[in-house]
Amino acid sequence: MKKVCVVFHLRAPCMEYHTTRKSSSCYELHVMFPNPEGPGCCAIILTIVSYLLIIATFPFSLCMCIKVVQEYERAVIFRLGRLLKGGAKGPGIFFVVPCIDSYRKVDLRTVSFDVPPQEILSRDSVTVSVDAVVYYRVSDPIMAETNVEDYSHSTRLLAATTLRNVLGTKNLAEILSERESISHNMQSSLDEATDPWGVKVERVEIKDVRLPVQLQRAMAAEAEAAREARAKVIAAEGEQRASRALKEAAEVINESPAALQLRYLQTLSQISAEKNSTIIFPLPIDLINNLVSK
């Protein structure tokens, strides 16, 4: 009585059954199961049926198979729920198989949106309302469709959150004076966060910083007081310079007694030119002293 040896080999690329005889008493049975990552039998059957329908209804089926995307658009095609190889299609004409293919258009143009005003508490405990504008574009259509549900809405929410996080670490003076650096930091943070989504943030601008009314009044009073203080300092410096000039003039006049008389006459000529009815004659102080002493 002969004994038969059967050896099983399991493989994965496709489903097949066959036997191989190695010797008179030994057989090998190869069982190869379908690859779970590849298309299944139902997918292959549906694909074949779809192509047969296209051929049977030709040329009317071309209306359903040929699609067009604009220069600024790309089409991401899914076949039976799986991303079709070859990347995004477009611009121009591309081919889809009805019933098994679905596609989504992605706009590659730069999009801008306003970040709603955010009530932010600064590092020095001042509440301010800040709004901004963000410019972004899609750099990778496939990642934008497969890695995030709605890249536009997600970018808007992330922009609002990033604005609050960045400004929350700044003082009020820094928020008012360092807008460019704040915009650059916010753009870098947004670009890094949206890179896995296939979104490129190109620019961020701080539009307006609104302060509470009471704080505006306090800042206005502080600025007015600072201006008045500077005005008094300037006036005092002017008086000091004028006093020095008068001192130097007095020293020059004191060197020549006739210069003082000439100054009197010049003053009288200026008064008479103005057509005044009253003219004051200045008297020398030495003469008055002599009269008082007598």
Side-chain angles (χ1 to χ4, degrees), residues 124-181:
D124 50 356
S125 301
V126 178
T127 303
V128 294
S129 178
V130 183
D131 56 352
V133 59
V134 179
Y135 300 86
Y136 75 94
R137 61 178 175 85
V138 176
S139 59
D140 192 332
I142 294 179
M143 296 177 65
E145 288 294 334
T146 57
N147 291 358
V148 63
E149 180 181 2
D150 188 349
Y151 64 87
S152 178
H153 183 64
S154 300
T155 303
R156 294 171 186 268
L157 294 179
L158 185 61
T161 305
T162 305
L163 179 63
R164 298 175 65 90
N165 293 338
V166 171
L167 295 182
T169 60
K170 303 291 183 179
N171 295 327
L172 178 61
E174 296 174 349
I175 294 175
L176 296 176
S177 61
E178 299 180 1
R179 293 192 179 187
E180 292 185 1
S181 61

Side-chain angles (χ1 to χ4, degrees), residues 260-269 271 279-288:
L260 182 60
Q261 188 65 27
L262 293 175
R263 182 61 180 167
Y264 289 159
L265 296 176
Q266 184 180 6
T267 304
L268 290 175
S269 65
I271 294 174
I279 298 176
I280 300 174
F281 290 93
L283 297 176
I285 298 176
D286 296 338
L287 181 60
I288 297 175

